[in-house]
Amino acid sequence: MRSIGYRVPPLRWVLLVCSWGCFSILGQLPQSNQAVPILGLTPTPIASSVRQEIDRLDPSVDGWTTEVIHEKTQECFKALAAAVQDGPEALEAFAQQYLDPSFRTSLWRPSDLTTVYDDRTLQVRENTGPASLLSPRGLTALRQGLQSLQQAFSTSSSTFSTPLGFHFKTVGVDVQSPYAFTEVWVESHGHNHRMRCEQHGFWRCKWSPPSAENPKPVLLSIELIRYQESQAPQQEQTWFVDQTSSLMGWDAHSQDPLLKGIDHWRQSLDWRFTLDVTGPHGLAIGDVNGDGREDLYVCEPGGLPNRLLIQQADGSLRDESALSGIDYLEASASALWIDLDNDRDLDLVLASGRYILSAINDGQAHFKTLQIHESQSMFRSLSAIDVDQDGLLDLFACGYYARFGDRLGLGRPMPYHDANNGARNVLLRNTGSGFKDITEEAGLNQNNQRFSYAAAWEDFDNDGDMDLYVANDFGRNNLYRNDGGRFVDIAASAGVEDISAGMSVSWADYNGDGWMDLYVGNMFSSAGNRIAFQRQYRDGDALGSFQRHARGNSLFLNQGDGTFLDISLEAGVTRGRWSWSSPFVDWNNDGWEDILVANGMVTGTEDTGDL
């Protein structure tokens, strides 16, 4: 296992960190009247300022009535999901606790669905409602709503065989005394021997809110606003099957570090050593030894070696990390396999901390370091292009935070909704013997101090040269138009600043009109949608930006005149959850570009709920 050469060797570094860390803890114990034990030391008081922040975690203490209602109504929905699984008696018990005797509902699955897509392997049907309330009340109404969902699985030749699984996301709370109203995205799924079905509904729910006399909310009605379902034939084997263990040769006794995952290592490795364990560790795929089979390079957090996995003839993977010379121990965020020297084999470019490392391949997957380019930016991702058309691939590297950021690695984005104190991105020209920073002379220093996550090149204006879009966290993005080798940021005038938590970007002509369109991965937050639209949240010009941060992903239609139209809501592509990567891909080979979104966030082992 190798260190790139710009840090103290790993074992010595861990010892130094542990020693420094202990003194840091001892020297910064908070002072207050309430004590807590730390690492087995004498109980230490919590500072009053910290106690105030802890108290604010309780919405009833912090004055957020709407969030109290949200928490209580979520308990109701969890109880409903459990009751559906447990059967009729459990559903009756649920009704006694949470339903008003006068409770009414719409059909949860309308009968007048319209087919909007059907290719024999996938059928999508929808209704845009809203649907009217039914006459039955109480438990009878609840059963009728549930049975309407189950109708998707019941035909003359097939009956429903598996209890529905439910998931609820509340995105709006409105109190109109004496009632409370919630807006809820509802997801359900199930299958029988013939087909599988995924169902998405949007409900407006009316409640008698919790009170001192009755701490549980009482559900008065459910109105279906819109509904969509996707059905696919039930197959003996699903489209994708996890083959990791068999390809890696793992068994019950294997101790491969990849088996433990991020949740394990973030609790085992010191944060100074790992730099970041929230997931930005890239992959690179390519044939590095010329045998016609694609191989895999895996970037790891600091303290764990990067992995080169060589594909064998039978499809299995052999670990040749150490033999290749690229099993670096430094935290790595991104990697590319590209031919740097035009010798027709794939070389490695690696973003690791504030360094860009390039390593030359001898054609047999043995690598020798070409250059280590140093910067003040901590890099998140890499992209390659021959920007000056000299026949050599150049690099663009996204910088996220500055070298001397805080211990969380964020550098304190200020202001949060439109941070302009991030790190510098760099354009590196390939000279044939290394890289030279040409960022400023190319015009890419304009608006170049944000928290950049990803970038993608495309000739969006069809003028024959490649333009660049950069997705930035904590604020607005960049669209650099290439004007004869000189770049100009036109994101504002083009309508694609997309002020949000930019994580990824992908280009495709999704509507087939000859102009490349743009999809940007952000974060959809149900909590953000609830809170940012409350009157007590905040005032000022920035309110819309905070609300926009919670909306989710964005789809921009290229209008062919240098501008784009935001059609995200109309296209129904905003709810990608906590999105990281979001490429266009023709999933079913029908000639139309679909969207695949990778999402999620580090959570505790006992709490798998997304934010």
Side-chain angles (χ1 to χ4, degrees), residues 205-319:
C205 304
K206 182 179 180 181
W207 308 80
S208 288
S211 63
E213 296 76 20
N214 186 6
K216 292 184 178 180
V218 177
L219 190 53
L220 299 173
S221 67
I222 296 175
E223 180 185 11
L224 179 71
I225 304 301
R226 50 187 176 272
Y227 173 88
Q228 184 183 84
E229 69 180 23
S230 303
Q231 294 187 2
Q234 183 72 292
Q235 301 172 357
E236 293 183 3
Q237 184 174 352
T238 56
W239 289 350
F240 291 93
V241 179
D242 186 351
Q243 297 289 331
T244 310
S245 294
S246 60
L247 295 180
M248 292 292 295
W250 292 338
D251 56 32
H253 305 289
S254 297
Q255 297 295 318
D256 194 308
L258 290 175
L259 278 167
K260 299 185 182 299
I262 288 293
D263 278 336
H264 169 82
W265 294 113
R266 72 187 179 94
Q267 298 177 56
S268 305
L269 297 174
D270 190 279
W271 66 265
R272 300 169 189 83
F273 197 50
T274 60
L275 288 185
D276 198 336
V277 292
T278 55
H281 310 297
L283 303 171
I285 298 176
D287 178 11
V288 297
N289 59 357
D291 63 0
R293 296 184 291 269
E294 290 190 322
D295 311 303
L296 177 65
Y297 188 71
V298 182
C299 295
E300 286 279 63
L304 299 175
N306 290 352
R307 306 285 289 274
L308 176 60
L309 306 174
I310 300 294
Q311 185 179 171
Q312 305 302 294
D314 62 358
S316 64
L317 298 172
R318 184 176 69 242
D319 190 334

Side-chain angles (χ1 to χ4, degrees), residues 102-111 131-138 140-148 220-224:
S102 65
F103 168 79
R104 298 177 65 189
T105 183
S106 311
L107 289 177
W108 296 355
R109 178 181 183 265
S111 56
S132 58
L133 297 178
L134 304 173
S135 297
R137 297 176 183 269
T140 302
L142 179 69
R143 285 173 173 163
Q144 194 162 349
L146 179 60
Q147 288 168 0
S148 69
L220 299 173
S221 67
I222 296 175
E223 180 185 11
L224 179 71

